[in-house]
Amino acid sequence: MIDTTFLNDSPLFRNLDEMERAQILVIGQVQEYEAGGVIFREGDPGDGLYIVMAGTVRISKRSAGGEEALAVLEPNAFFGEMALIDVSPRAADAIACEPAQLFYIPLSAFQAVIEAHHQIALKVLYSLCAVLAQRLRETNERYMSVFAIAQWGGAMGPDALIPLP
């Protein structure tokens, strides 16, 4: 028996009532990963969503210079949610930083639940939009910080650019 409180605390599912969360618990499965275990690689099919129950997961991109960590996710965080929106391949790698316990929700099973239970679909969609909006704001702030550093990093002179707000 698993401790189901992780769904109450997950930003994606916290607005669901007890019966709705039970619908999600029925379709998911607990998966265990050792430290360094690959959950998925960039380019793999987007076939489901994960919630971190225990441990941490690193989301990263590979480049010519090595691996660039985009985020380290702790318990209650979710990832792989882009699979709910489109059928594109995974956009990054997901690797367990330490032994991790994840709750995996297969895309096909999730689609069946939201097609049968429109109230669940509305609540999850609203929560997903709120999280994605927050992530977009954070990305915009990081972009502007990098832009400002790039602009001000060189010598200042009469032709120097003025940073945007």
Side-chain angles (χ1 to χ4, degrees):
M1 186 79 174
I2 64 170
D3 179 5
T4 61
T5 58
F6 71 94
L7 274 185
N8 300 353
D9 298 331
S10 172
L12 194 56
F13 298 107
R14 72 171 51 127
N15 292 331
L16 301 182
D17 65 32
E18 188 175 331
M19 293 301 292
E20 293 165 335
R21 281 192 298 273
Q23 293 289 322
I24 301 301
L25 286 170
V26 167
I27 63 170
Q29 54 193 263
V30 176
Q31 296 182 348
E32 307 265 344
Y33 291 87
E34 296 295 324
V38 175
I39 301 154
F40 56 74
R41 289 277 184 204
E42 182 176 356
D44 287 352
D47 59 355
L49 166 78
Y50 296 84
I51 302 170
V52 181
M53 297 172 67
T56 55
V57 173
R58 182 176 67 252
I59 306 299
S60 60
K61 298 275 282 181
R62 287 173 275 154
S63 68
E67 178 187 18
E68 178 70 31
L70 303 174
V72 174
L73 305 176
E74 297 181 342
N76 304 323
F78 61 90
F79 61 100
E81 72 280 356
M82 290 169 59
L84 303 178
I85 299 167
D86 64 19
V87 291
S88 296
R90 299 288 188 189
D93 296 342
I95 300 166
C97 296
E98 58 188 345
Q101 186 178 52
L102 307 177
F103 188 73
Y104 172 69
I105 303 171
L107 179 58
S108 58
F110 185 73
Q111 287 173 330
V113 166
I114 62 174
E115 287 173 12
H117 303 279
H118 295 159
Q119 193 65 24
I120 292 174
L122 289 171
K123 289 178 180 180
V124 170
L125 178 62
Y126 182 80
S127 295
L128 181 60
C129 288
V131 170
L132 293 178
Q134 180 60 35
R135 289 180 183 172
L136 181 58
R137 281 188 193 93
E138 291 169 2
T139 300
N140 286 343
E141 287 176 20
R142 278 189 239 130
Y143 173 78
M144 289 307 294
S145 295
V146 168
F147 181 75
I149 290 168
Q151 261 190 322
W152 288 101
M156 296 303 297
D159 295 326
L161 298 174
I162 299 172
L164 298 174

